[in-house]
Amino acid sequence: AQSVTQLDSHVSVSEGTPVLLRCNYSSSYSPSLFWYVQHPNKGLQLLLKYTSAATLVKGINGFEAEFKKSETSFHLTKPSAHMSDAAEYFCVVRYPNDYKLSFGAGTTVTVRA
Amino acid sequence: EAQVTQNPRYLITVTGKKLTVTCSQNMNHEYMSWYRQDPGLGLRQIYYSMNVEVTDKGDVPEGYKVSRKEKRNFPLILESPSPNQTSLYFCASSLRSGGAINEKLFFGSGTQLSVL
């Protein structure tokens, strides 16, 4: 069965420092991969997606993610965290010919002033 | 404004009392889906629908029903709610492309359900 694992349940960073959120997926097939963000009391919003084009994907708000097939990873990064980045982030996977999306458990990001 | 509208935002009920959470989208999306969000478990899919009168089970369908009589509406029905269905529920919709869903899901604002 397809699965996605977010390696950190909580990440705390200082404003202006880099953010790294780690995600690994099971490797049965080449999947489509996404990162969604959920701000407090809001629905989820798409940050970026990988669909077998460029392995480095740029998203909104300065986020980017790199697809590494050899490591079955799709880590999310941002060079400089902002207070508004405090939210929960979900790594999501979809496999070919599958209409379902599988969500990771989520990583909560806190940003210290 | 393009949006997915869920109602109600908050609902407190008692065990066994039937309830319906409504979901409506104004983007003419074919695909609609329900998720529940629980701490440490992320979002788990309950049911989804590829088009009118076409629905299928997700990962956690037990205790839930859905219907898709119109393209814009996809209500979630709990015939006999139980405390383990206390959760945050999200409805989402998307276009289909090439036989599969377009991956950008549009989410509603969520419904916090408490079953006592």
Side-chain angles (χ1 to χ4, degrees), chain A residues 65-83:
Chain A
E66 186 172 9
F67 173 70
K68 291 187 176 179
K69 187 173 183 178
S70 61
E71 299 176 8
T72 61
S73 69
F74 189 57
H75 301 336
L76 181 71
T77 61
K78 183 173 181 178
S80 177
H82 190 270
M83 297 299 287

Side-chain angles (χ1 to χ4, degrees), chain A residues 32 34 36 38 41-46 49 51 88 90 94 97-106, chain B residues 9 31 35 37 40-43 45 48 50 57-59 90 96 99-101 103-105 107-109:
Chain A
S32 296
F34 320 88
Y36 279 81
Q38 182 182 28
N41 300 312
K42 300 283 188 184
L44 281 73
Q45 179 186 17
L46 180 66
K49 66 180 183 180
T51 54
E88 189 159 21
F90 293 95
R94 183 178 72 81
N97 302 316
D98 192 337
Y99 295 120
K100 294 193 290 187
L101 296 174
S102 291
F103 285 73
Chain B
R9 285 295 306 273
Y31 180 90
Y35 298 87
Q37 183 179 13
L41 296 176
L43 274 73
Q45 189 173 44
Y48 64 95
M50 297 302 296
K57 296 177 180 179
D59 296 316
F90 286 100
R96 287 179 68 173
I101 61 169
E103 293 85 359
K104 181 173 182 178
L105 284 170
F107 282 84
S109 296

Side-chain angles (χ1 to χ4, degrees), chain A residues 2-91:
Chain A
Q2 63 198 51
S3 69
V4 55
T5 303
Q6 292 183 241
L7 299 169
D8 309 289
S9 58
H10 292 90
V11 168
S12 180
V13 298
S14 297
E15 191 174 21
T17 65
V19 181
L20 169 65
L21 306 182
R22 298 181 294 166
C23 173
N24 286 98
Y25 64 93
S26 60
S27 60
S28 299
Y29 302 98
S30 294
S32 296
L33 294 153
F34 320 88
W35 278 98
Y36 279 81
V37 60
Q38 182 182 28
H39 287 95
N41 300 312
K42 300 283 188 184
L44 281 73
Q45 179 186 17
L46 180 66
L47 269 180
L48 51 79
K49 66 180 183 180
Y50 167 76
T51 54
S52 74
T55 56
L56 184 62
V57 182
K58 293 188 184 300
I60 61 172
N61 301 334
F63 285 93
E64 61 182 36
E66 186 172 9
F67 173 70
K68 291 187 176 179
K69 187 173 183 178
S70 61
E71 299 176 8
T72 61
S73 69
F74 189 57
H75 301 336
L76 181 71
T77 61
K78 183 173 181 178
S80 177
H82 190 270
M83 297 299 287
S84 61
D85 295 326
E88 189 159 21
Y89 293 79
F90 293 95
C91 184

Side-chain angles (χ1 to χ4, degrees), chain B residues 50-100:
Chain B
M50 297 302 296
N51 215 326
V52 175
E53 303 292 2
V54 180
T55 64
D56 208 347
K57 296 177 180 179
D59 296 316
V60 288
E62 294 77 20
Y64 304 95
K65 285 176 56 177
V66 294
S67 69
R68 188 92 182 271
K69 293 184 171 59
E70 305 165 282
K71 197 172 188 179
R72 63 183 291 125
N73 296 323
F74 191 46
L76 179 68
I77 303 156
L78 284 72
E79 295 271 4
S80 182
S82 62
N84 65 12
Q85 293 178 298
T86 293
S87 187
L88 178 59
Y89 291 86
F90 286 100
C91 179
S93 73
S94 179
L95 287 170
R96 287 179 68 173
S97 65

